[in-house]
Amino acid sequence: MKKNFKLLLFLGLLIQNISLFSQTKKDYYSDLDFSQLKTNVFYNLANNYSEIEKYDGSMTSPVVSPATFKQIYHEIYTASLQKDIPEVLSLIETNSKYVGKNIYPIYIIDYQYDVLRKDVFDKNLVSVVNNKLVQNTMENIFELKNVFVTSTISNRTYSGMNIKFSIKKDLYFTNSDKKILYFLVDFDNGKREEKLNFDEVLNVEYTTEGQKNISVKAVYSDNSILYSLFEINVKDSGMPTPSYYWTDTADIAYNGEYGVADVAVFLGQSNAALTEPVIIVDGFDPNDERPIEGVYEIANQQNLVDSLRNLGMDGIIINFKDGAGYIQKNAFVFVKILQKINQMMTDAGTMLPENQIVVIGPSMGGLITRYGLDYMEHNGIPHNVRNWISFDSPQKGANIPLGLQHWVRFFADEAEVQGAIEAKAKLNSFAARQMLNYHFTATSGNTANPNSLKPAFYNEIDALGFPQQTRIVSIINGSGYGQTQPFQPGEQVIYYRYRNWKVDLDGHVWAVPNQSLTKIFQGLYDTALPFDEVTEDIYVNNTLPFDGAAGGSASTFADIDATNTGGYGDIIAYYNDHCFIPTISSLALENTTDPLYNVDANINNIVTPFDKIY
C-alpha cells in the first residue's frame, strides 16, 4: 500500500527550529502591506504540500487522512503571524491522553487565511526588487480563502468494534467569529447521521473492520454548513476483557519525573487469582500510539498469550505511557508494578516456590526490565522472577542508518514536511538518544558518534550488570551465522531526485562505511524563490558498518520505496531492510565489537552474560 510523503512514519522508531527557508520566505514578503490582510494567516509563508485549497468545506472536499490533517495544521501554524495555536507535536501528545481513556477525539481546523492573488504578476501589482517582493499598488493584492478539515490523529483504533468519539472544544482550532450550533456526523456504520455537540462522548458500534470514511457537517448559527470527510481504520485487537486493569505510577522519580504505565492481567484457565504470571512489557512507543490493546495484539499474534493461559499461566501486559521517555523512568514504574504483583500473589496465597514470575522484555522493554530487576537486586527488593527473557533487545545499542537520520533532519528542517518533523522528534526522544549507536545530533565534521545520553545510560546499566537472581535468556531475530544485509558498507541504499520549475529535491543515502571516509547523505532543497537553495553533503569516517550488520532487521528502506510522494518524484530504495538490533548487541557479546561477527563460527569463544541464547 502506498504511503503518504507527508507522513514518513518509516521510523517505526522535539523540534523547535525555524528553518532557513522559512526565514528566507519571511524576508521575501516583508515589504508587502500586511495591513491589507483580513486574517492573521498569510499562507504564502508556508510550503503548500497539502493542496489546502481543495479542503474548503464544500461537499467535494477530498477525504482527509491523519497525515494530511497534520500537514495542513502545520502549514497553518507556519503561516500564522501570531502563532496563537500550538505546534502539531503537542496535539499528538494530547491525543495519547484521550486514547488512553479509550476516547478518540476528532480534531477540527476551521480557518480563514489570506493568500496572494494569482494575478498579481500578470497585472504588475507586484515586482521583485533586490530579491524581495515589492507592492506596486494600493489595490489589495490578497484574497481570502477558508479551510475546513476534520480528522483523528491516529489512523487506526485499538478499541475493538465499539469506539468512543468526541469533538473536544479545546481541539477545535479556528480564527472565525462564526458560532457552531452543532455537528452532524455519519460514522460510516450503516446508521443515520448523529447529532453531536462539543465535548459530548458518543459510543459508535461497528459490525465490520476496515477503513471507515466519517463525514462531519458543522452547522453554524447563520445556517451555513461546512463539510469534511476523514478516514479511520477500525481494527479489533481480539483482546478479551482483562481480569484486572489498573494504572500505576512509580514511587521513584528519574530526572524529576515519575513513570506511569497501564497494566492488564488475563488470568490463566481455571485460575481464580494471580498464580503463575508471565509479564510482557511494551518497547519503544513515542506518544503512546500503541495502547494496551495494541501491545496485546502484537504479543498474541501467534497466540502466545492464549497459549500461556491455556497452560494455566497468567498473561500480564504493561504499556508505558511515555514510551519514548528515559529508560530508567519506565524501569522504576516496572519495579512498582512487580512489587504489586507479588503482593497480589501473597494476598491470594499463591506465592509458592513453583509459582515464580517470568518477565519478557522485547526490544527496549529488555532494557527497561533489566534495569528494573538490577535495581531491585542491588537494593534488596525481592522480585520473585525465575526467568527473564531479553527478546531481540539492544543490550549494547540499536541502529537506525545515520544517513537516513540526516535525511529526516534535512526534510524536517528545510522542506518542513510534517511527517519528517514527527520522525525527527522520535529520533530526538530521550529513549532513542539513549539507544542509538550513531545519532544525527552527534555528527561533527567527519566524526559519527552516539548522542551523549547513550554512553551515560550504558555506563550506568553496565555498572549494574545483569540480573543475578534469575535465569536470563536471550532470544534474537538476527543471524547467529554472520549473515549480513545484502549490501556493502558505504554502498548507496536510497536514491531520490526530483526536478521541476517549482522545486528541486535531492535525498540520497549511503550505508555507513567500515572505517573509510564515505558520503552518507546528500540533500538539495531549491524552490522558485531567489537565493533559497540549500545543499548538504555529510561524510563520516572511522565508523563500524552497523547498517548492514548481522542482526534483527527493519524494513525501513522498503517502506520508503513504497512512499507516495504526491507528485514529487519517485523515491528508490535499492534494498528492503537494514540492521536494527545487531546480533552482537542482542547477545551482549563481550569478546567483540565487530557488527559482522559470525557467532556460530566462534561459538566456543563467545563471552555473553546470558545463561541461554536462541
Side-chain angles (χ1 to χ4, degrees):
M1 184 173 66
K2 291 291 184 179
K3 300 189 178 181
N4 198 298
F5 178 68
K6 309 166 187 71
L7 187 58
L8 291 179
L9 290 181
F10 48 79
L11 292 164
L13 280 112
L14 298 163
I15 173 66
Q16 303 296 332
N17 300 332
I18 297 174
S19 76
L20 171 66
F21 182 57
S22 291
Q23 294 173 359
T24 302
K25 274 199 166 184
K26 290 176 182 177
D27 291 340
Y28 182 70
Y29 293 114
S30 61
D31 285 348
L32 299 184
D33 183 6
F34 281 5
S35 67
Q36 294 182 340
L37 296 175
K38 293 184 174 64
T39 73
N40 65 345
V41 179
F42 176 42
Y43 201 77
N44 291 77
L45 293 177
N47 298 329
N48 185 358
Y49 298 116
S50 65
E51 298 183 297
I52 191 173
E53 61 278 357
K54 294 181 179 179
Y55 302 91
D56 58 1
S58 67
M59 294 295 290
T60 59
S61 293
V63 177
V64 180
S65 68
T68 300
F69 181 91
K70 287 182 283 188
Q71 183 64 38
I72 290 174
Y73 182 98
H74 176 67
E75 291 170 9
I76 289 289
Y77 174 85
T78 302
S80 175
L81 301 176
Q82 297 177 349
K83 297 292 184 287
D84 51 0
I85 56 175
E87 289 188 276
V88 71
L89 293 178
S90 68
L91 300 190
I92 300 171
E93 294 174 4
T94 302
N95 183 70
S96 66
K97 297 176 183 177
Y98 285 115
V99 172
K101 301 175 183 178
N102 287 325
I103 296 174
Y104 285 81
I106 298 174
Y107 292 69
I108 299 179
I109 299 172
D110 182 5
Y111 254 77
Q112 292 183 314
Y113 60 92
D114 288 276
V115 64
L116 274 179
R117 287 165 43 185
K118 293 182 178 180
D119 62 355
V120 290
F121 286 102
D122 293 340
K123 294 186 176 181
N124 197 33
L125 303 180
V126 297
S127 56
V128 179
V129 179
N130 295 327
N131 302 317
K132 286 189 175 184
L133 202 60
V134 176
Q135 199 164 333
N136 301 327
T137 177
M138 297 297 293
E139 182 180 343
N140 195 325
I141 61 172
F142 306 104
E143 61 178 320
L144 186 66
K145 291 180 177 279
N146 67 281
V147 57
F148 181 78
V149 286
T150 63
S151 183
T152 56
I153 292 295
S154 302
N155 186 50
R156 66 161 294 178
T157 69
Y158 290 98
S159 299
M161 309 306 286
N162 292 293
I163 303 168
K164 295 177 181 178
F165 290 100
S166 183
I167 298 177
K168 297 296 181 182
K169 183 72 172 181
D170 62 336
L171 302 179
Y172 168 63
F173 301 100
T174 186
N175 61 354
S176 172
D177 294 329
K178 293 174 64 176
K179 181 181 178 181
I180 291 180
L181 296 179
Y182 55 85
F183 299 93
L184 293 173
V185 186
D186 183 342
F187 288 99
D188 196 13
N189 62 343
K191 297 184 178 180
R192 294 182 301 176
E193 287 182 330
E194 301 270 6
K195 185 177 179 181
L196 197 61
N197 297 309
F198 280 120
D199 297 321
E200 182 181 356
V201 178
L202 187 66
N203 187 70
V204 178
E205 183 177 352
Y206 289 96
T207 58
T208 60
E209 295 182 319
Q211 181 172 309
K212 310 297 178 183
N213 290 336
I214 300 175
S215 69
V216 178
K217 295 176 183 174
V219 181
Y220 295 84
S221 56
D222 63 359
N223 294 321
S224 62
I225 296 176
L226 289 179
Y227 170 86
S228 176
L229 186 68
F230 72 89
E231 64 183 27
I232 189 168
N233 186 27
V234 175
K235 184 74 167 66
D236 188 353
S237 67
M239 187 182 86
T241 302
S243 306
Y244 306 101
Y245 188 100
W246 73 88
T247 300
D248 240 325
T249 302
D251 293 329
I252 306 166
Y254 187 79
N255 274 7
E257 295 184 354
Y258 293 87
V260 180
D262 293 329
V263 186
V265 178
F266 307 90
L267 293 179
Q269 188 175 14
S270 302
N271 289 350
L274 272 175
T275 303
E276 194 173 354
V278 178
I279 300 173
I280 303 172
V281 307
D282 197 12
F284 184 74
D285 180 22
N287 306 309
D288 195 26
E289 296 170 347
R290 187 173 53 239
I292 281 283
E293 292 84 358
V295 183
Y296 178 92
E297 182 182 35
I298 295 172
N300 199 48
Q301 60 186 339
Q302 292 183 323
N303 301 315
L304 172 62
V305 181
D306 292 342
S307 298
L308 291 172
R309 296 178 69 198
N310 290 336
L311 292 171
M313 300 179 186
D314 309 303
I316 300 178
I317 303 291
I318 298 177
N319 172 54
F320 303 103
K321 303 301 288 182
D322 186 5
Y326 284 108
I327 292 169
Q328 298 95 321
K329 171 181 158 181
N330 285 323
F332 287 138
V333 71
F334 168 72
V335 169
K336 172 76 172 294
I337 294 166
L338 201 52
Q339 290 175 287
K340 182 168 183 173
I341 290 170
N342 277 305
Q343 187 61 53
M344 292 171 70
M345 294 176 69
T346 299
D347 294 343
T350 57
M351 182 66 84
L352 303 173
E354 64 268 26
N355 290 344
Q356 288 183 299
I357 299 168
V358 174
V359 174
I360 303 174
S363 193
M364 187 178 76
L367 294 175
I368 292 171
T369 51
R370 172 187 163 189
Y371 188 97
L373 293 172
D374 280 343
Y375 178 86
M376 297 178 81
E377 291 185 359
H378 279 77
N379 289 276
I381 305 171
H383 54 60
N384 191 35
V385 174
R386 78 162 186 265
N387 200 0
W388 170 65
I389 300 173
S390 170
F391 183 21
D392 212 42
S393 180
Q395 299 298 335
K396 287 186 175 292
N399 177 69
I400 295 292
L402 184 59
L404 202 57
Q405 294 184 49
H406 281 287
W407 198 50
V408 169
R409 174 197 52 76
F410 184 83
F411 284 107
D413 290 358
E414 308 305 338
E416 294 186 331
V417 176
Q418 174 53 38
I421 293 174
E422 289 181 51
K424 182 181 174 184
K426 294 176 183 179
L427 279 173
N428 223 15
S429 65
F430 293 126
R433 284 186 279 162
Q434 285 183 301
M435 292 186 293
L436 289 176
N437 292 323
Y438 299 127
H439 199 269
F440 73 94
T441 60
T443 305
S444 177
N446 297 331
T447 304
N449 287 306
N451 183 274
S452 60
L453 290 183
K454 181 179 186 279
F457 169 72
Y458 280 94
N459 287 341
E460 180 182 356
I461 197 170
D462 288 344
L464 292 172
F466 281 77
Q468 299 297 307
Q469 299 170 17
T470 176
R471 180 171 180 261
I472 64 174
V473 175
S474 179
I475 299 176
I476 75 169
N477 287 331
S479 171
Y481 300 89
Q483 180 177 338
T484 62
Q485 301 299 323
F487 53 84
Q488 297 300 311
E491 185 177 346
Q492 186 168 3
V493 289
I494 297 291
Y495 176 90
Y496 178 45
R497 180 180 175 87
Y498 176 72
R499 296 289 185 271
N500 78 355
W501 66 270
K502 189 165 55 176
V503 63
D504 292 340
L505 298 168
D506 280 345
H508 306 307
V509 176
W510 289 260
V512 291
N514 191 357
Q515 303 297 323
S516 60
L517 180 66
T518 301
K519 182 189 293 186
I520 60 167
F521 172 73
Q522 179 183 336
L524 166 68
Y525 185 72
D526 184 17
T527 74
L529 286 180
F531 301 104
D532 74 322
E533 179 179 329
V534 180
T535 60
E536 192 172 289
D537 294 281
I538 302 290
Y539 289 82
V540 294
N541 197 3
N542 297 321
T543 53
L544 294 173
F546 284 114
D547 295 346
S553 62
S555 59
T556 305
F557 296 154
D559 291 343
I560 293 174
D561 188 78
T563 297
N564 183 347
T565 65
Y568 289 87
D570 185 25
I571 302 172
I572 300 172
Y574 295 133
Y575 302 95
N576 290 333
D577 304 329
H578 64 81
C579 178
F580 182 44
I581 309 293
T583 293
I584 62 170
S585 174
S586 51
L587 297 183
L589 295 187
E590 298 171 6
N591 60 302
T592 183
T593 58
D594 180 10
L596 309 179
Y597 191 73
N598 186 325
V599 175
D600 184 70
N602 298 278
I603 196 67
N604 295 322
N605 300 316
I606 66 168
V607 181
T608 176
F610 290 104
D611 299 316
K612 184 72 176 176
I613 61 176
Y614 178 74

